[in-house]
Amino acid sequence: MNPTIVYVGVALYTLVCFAIGLWGFRQSKRPTMEDFFLGGRSLGLFFVLCATWSTLFSAFSYIGLPGAYYRSGISFFGISGNIVLNAACMYFIGSRMWAVGKKFGFINATDLFAERYRSNAVCIIAMIISVASLLPYLGLQIRGAGLTLQGVTKGMISFETGLTYITLVVLLYVVLGGFRSVIYNDVVQAVIMLVGMLGATYVIVEKVGGGFGGVIAKAAAINPALTQFPGPAGVWSPMMVLTTCMVIGMGGFAWPQISQRMYATRSLKTVKTLAVIFPISALFVNIPPVFIGLAGRIQYPDLKNADLIFPMMMNDLLSPTMAVIILLAILAAIMSTVSGMILSISSILVRDLWIRFFDPEGATASRMSTVSRVVTVIVVAGSLAFVFWGPQTLVGLLIEASGPIMLQVLVVLAGGLYWKRASKAGAIVSMLASEAFLVLLWTKAIVMPVTGIHNGVWAMILGVVLFFVVSLLTKPAPDEVIRKFFDLYDQEPAAAK
Amino acid sequence: MGKGLKLVVLIIYVLLLIGLSCPWQKVGEPLYLGFLPAPMFYLIMVQLGFVAVLGFVAFFTRFHGRVEDEEDFLRSLKKEVKP
């Protein structure tokens, strides 16, 4: 890569991020916490689609996915099915979150828990789980950003410089304009990601296989299992595909940075349309890495570290200008994911910790806006510190289990919105027991007799059973709470009531 | 949304979930559209099936009840705030 083109490209991109951050700041009409974290609940379809898209697809789509296809062939494409389960959650759970968010002014899923279950304990447990699952993941994303930049520029940008650069740029535009800056940047980042992914795929596929069909034919000639399920290693059996899709898709929806988008949307129609359009648009990100990974298998058949496949092809097959566009696309993917996470963790800490326990009466709009910004800075510092200096076994476990961990919270979220009998005791026991069971499965203290099912789904099954049994055995929420929540979903039109 | 329709939708979802699990093991051919191996093509079809059912439930049923009358619902919230 030509250093001048790299530095000019990165500098221009940084300026665009700042300019958008400033624009977001100027768009904020009121200095309120709701405005800082949800942009005044006015998100239209185009913005929410770009934001969800660019937040959900991280650098993994560029680095991890091609590497996975290099190893597993097209069998890894089975995991793309997680997107339709994510979309189903958007419609079935997200629509109801939108409605209660409008009615009660919720900012996080954890707010909803406190009100629906009339329990600070449910709220705090969900908060701890959410933050514990996201904080190390956030730190890893930032750390990964430094490593990725160092790798794709062949050391031109050092690890420390890359890490510091990404952290500062994201932090500045998030602190400046909050949600609006994040969303406007997400739109630009989504466009760069899409152009970069499609452009790079076309060039690589043409050069390596003479076309998309050529890549498939050449890969099948190397090893027919590369174009079949369960793949060369025989991992992707039907049950493994389905349960992994459930963990990634449904657990992914429960991530605060995704579920929070449901509160931010302008209308119910937007949530519905998002649920329908999102899986279709996701194919543009899910299909290209298949061909990049297989092209890599043809080009470099005996690579030990498959995750290097995309950076290697960038340097060897793409023009310098195209390589810089891909570099920016990877930066965009990292930044959009990181910014969404930062904002969500901050909102949980401000709303559920600061206001609920330290400042319930005296919180003024402008003071909360300032507190939100200060907490945002602390969150970034904390996540970095945790990943660099935290106990490595715990950090590794939390990062690997982030989706499965949140899947257990989804049980309580969906149950609270659909089942009147759901009780706070049921919610508490379900979350604590299923998370503890998940840790036991992960550390292999317990080994299930049936193999080929994801650990997260085993834990979820236990969580669902306990949620129902304990709820039926204990007192439900008071009638007034049930009425406030469930009257919304009566079948009669409002005028007839 | 009546109970009968709910049951039909549930059955379709279960069938789609079976399709989503990629039961077509060891199938490598044909190549659809000249570049999509059969398993990928089938999986994309299943995903589009999911989207179609989701679209039907979202736009042609009243799954969420009163909230579906969005304007009335939002107006009722304003009344609650300012009686």
Side-chain angles (χ1 to χ4, degrees):
Chain A
M1 268 193 210
N2 182 332
T4 314
I5 302 179
V6 171
Y7 291 133
V8 169
V10 172
L12 280 176
Y13 175 67
T14 309
L15 279 177
V16 170
C17 286
F18 282 140
I20 293 170
L22 203 61
W23 188 40
F25 174 68
R26 290 170 67 93
Q27 292 275 310
S28 303
K29 293 176 185 77
R30 292 156 293 151
T32 63
M33 191 176 57
E34 196 176 50
D35 204 73
F36 185 78
F37 288 127
L38 294 180
R41 299 180 199 273
S42 58
L43 215 55
L45 179 64
F46 176 70
F47 286 99
V48 75
L49 177 66
C50 289
T52 309
W53 203 82
S54 55
T55 304
L56 211 54
F57 298 119
S58 61
F60 179 73
S61 305
Y62 288 86
I63 309 294
L65 275 183
Y69 288 114
Y70 181 98
R71 286 185 294 266
S72 302
I74 66 155
S75 64
F76 199 78
F77 190 69
I79 306 307
S80 71
N82 81 80
I83 293 296
V84 291
L85 298 181
N86 192 287
C89 289
M90 277 180 198
Y91 173 67
F92 289 107
I93 300 172
S95 298
R96 294 198 171 198
M97 286 180 75
W98 172 84
V100 293
K102 284 275 181 199
K103 184 166 182 176
F104 300 109
F106 297 145
I107 285 182
N108 306 302
T110 39
D111 290 353
L112 190 155
F113 289 161
E115 193 66 29
R116 165 63 184 86
Y117 292 104
R118 276 291 162 93
S119 163
N120 278 341
V122 178
C123 170
I124 290 298
I125 291 168
M127 183 196 81
I128 292 170
I129 292 171
S130 303
V131 174
S133 131
L134 276 188
L135 212 57
Y137 200 73
L138 171 63
L140 180 84
Q141 287 280 332
I142 297 173
R143 194 179 173 195
L147 288 170
T148 306
L149 274 178
Q150 188 184 30
V152 296
T153 59
K154 285 186 173 172
M156 205 186 302
I157 299 176
S158 70
F159 168 69
E160 291 79 14
T161 312
L163 183 141
T164 312
Y165 159 75
I166 295 240
T167 308
L168 284 180
V169 172
V170 173
L171 195 60
L172 272 174
Y173 78 71
V174 173
V175 169
L176 203 59
F179 186 80
R180 287 177 206 275
S181 293
V182 169
I183 294 297
Y184 295 152
N185 265 303
D186 278 352
V187 172
V188 175
Q189 285 157 351
V191 172
I192 297 173
M193 284 164 67
L194 191 61
V195 170
M197 179 67 89
L198 296 181
T201 307
Y202 180 77
V203 175
I204 288 170
V205 162
E206 281 297 322
K207 285 193 175 173
V208 174
F212 290 89
V215 168
I216 298 294
K218 284 183 180 178
I222 293 172
N223 181 357
L226 285 171
T227 56
Q228 298 169 354
F229 282 79
V235 173
W236 297 108
S237 64
M239 197 50 87
M240 198 60 190
V241 171
L242 185 63
T243 53
T244 308
C245 283
M246 287 170 73
V247 168
I248 300 174
M250 294 159 70
F253 174 80
W255 272 345
Q257 72 270 28
I258 300 299
S259 59
Q260 202 174 35
R261 301 279 191 261
M262 303 299 115
Y263 291 139
T265 49
R266 185 188 300 156
S267 67
L268 179 62
K269 197 178 167 194
T270 306
V271 178
K272 288 178 179 180
T273 316
L274 174 71
V276 172
I277 290 178
F278 181 63
I280 298 170
S281 69
L283 289 173
F284 289 101
V285 176
N286 282 330
I287 293 177
V290 179
F291 292 93
I292 295 174
L294 291 180
R297 186 72 181 239
I298 297 162
Q299 187 79 0
Y300 315 100
D302 299 314
L303 206 59
K304 288 226 165 53
N305 184 359
D307 288 341
L308 294 175
I309 198 72
F310 195 43
M312 281 176 74
M313 285 197 285
M314 263 175 73
N315 283 312
D316 295 348
L317 300 176
L318 301 182
S319 68
T321 314
M322 188 74 192
V324 171
I325 292 174
I326 303 301
L327 174 65
L328 296 185
I330 295 172
L331 276 180
I334 294 168
M335 285 182 175
S336 53
T337 303
V338 166
S339 59
M341 284 180 168
I342 291 173
L343 207 60
S344 292
I345 299 174
S346 307
S347 70
I348 291 173
L349 293 177
V350 171
R351 179 80 165 206
D352 296 326
L353 201 63
W354 180 264
I355 294 184
R356 199 172 295 281
F357 295 103
F358 299 110
D359 201 6
E361 301 298 329
T364 60
S366 59
R367 191 162 92 206
M368 288 329 301
S369 182
T370 310
V371 169
S372 304
R373 287 176 163 88
V374 172
V375 170
T376 302
V377 177
I378 295 170
V379 163
V380 175
S383 64
L384 277 174
F386 192 72
V387 166
F388 279 108
W389 296 300
Q392 285 310 302
T393 317
L394 182 64
V395 172
L397 184 74
L398 287 172
I399 287 165
E400 201 174 329
S402 181
I405 286 173
M406 291 311 294
L407 185 62
Q408 316 316 319
V409 178
L410 187 78
V411 171
V412 176
L413 177 62
L417 289 169
Y418 276 91
W419 193 36
K420 292 179 184 176
R421 195 64 185 72
S423 74
K424 70 175 175 187
I428 291 170
V429 172
S430 169
M431 282 192 288
L432 292 179
S434 59
E435 298 294 0
F437 188 53
L438 188 61
V439 172
L440 293 175
L441 289 173
W442 228 275
T443 52
K444 299 203 187 313
I446 292 178
V447 179
M448 297 307 286
V450 181
T451 55
I453 293 178
H454 199 289
N455 285 340
V457 172
W458 283 122
M460 186 188 77
I461 292 169
L462 177 73
V464 170
V465 170
L466 288 175
F467 184 67
F468 275 96
V469 172
V470 177
S471 289
L472 287 172
L473 294 174
T474 52
K475 216 169 76 172
D479 278 350
E480 60 181 278
V481 175
I482 301 298
R483 267 201 305 278
K484 272 201 309 189
F485 269 81
F486 286 90
D487 276 0
L488 300 172
Y489 315 125
D490 284 348
Q491 287 302 320
E492 296 81 22
K497 285 183 77 71
Chain B
M1 199 176 182
K3 279 184 181 167
L5 187 57
K6 272 186 186 167
L7 186 66
V8 172
V9 169
L10 188 67
I11 291 169
I12 294 173
Y13 263 123
V14 171
L15 292 174
L16 285 170
L17 279 175
I18 293 170
L20 205 63
S21 69
C22 305
W24 37 78
Q25 303 275 308
K26 305 278 184 197
V27 176
E29 291 181 341
L31 215 57
Y32 286 91
L33 307 171
F35 73 98
L36 275 179
M40 273 181 78
F41 179 78
Y42 300 148
L43 191 56
I44 291 170
M45 288 299 113
V46 171
Q47 291 185 21
L48 293 179
F50 255 102
V51 170
V53 177
L54 198 62
F56 168 75
V57 176
F59 291 103
F60 297 99
T61 70
R62 290 174 54 80
F63 189 82
H64 295 300
R66 205 157 67 82
V67 175
E68 299 282 353
D69 304 310
E70 198 174 323
E71 286 181 13
D72 287 343
F73 164 65
L74 293 175
R75 215 174 296 130
S76 72
L77 294 186
K78 280 181 189 161
K79 274 184 198 163
E80 276 181 30
V81 176
K82 293 174 189 170

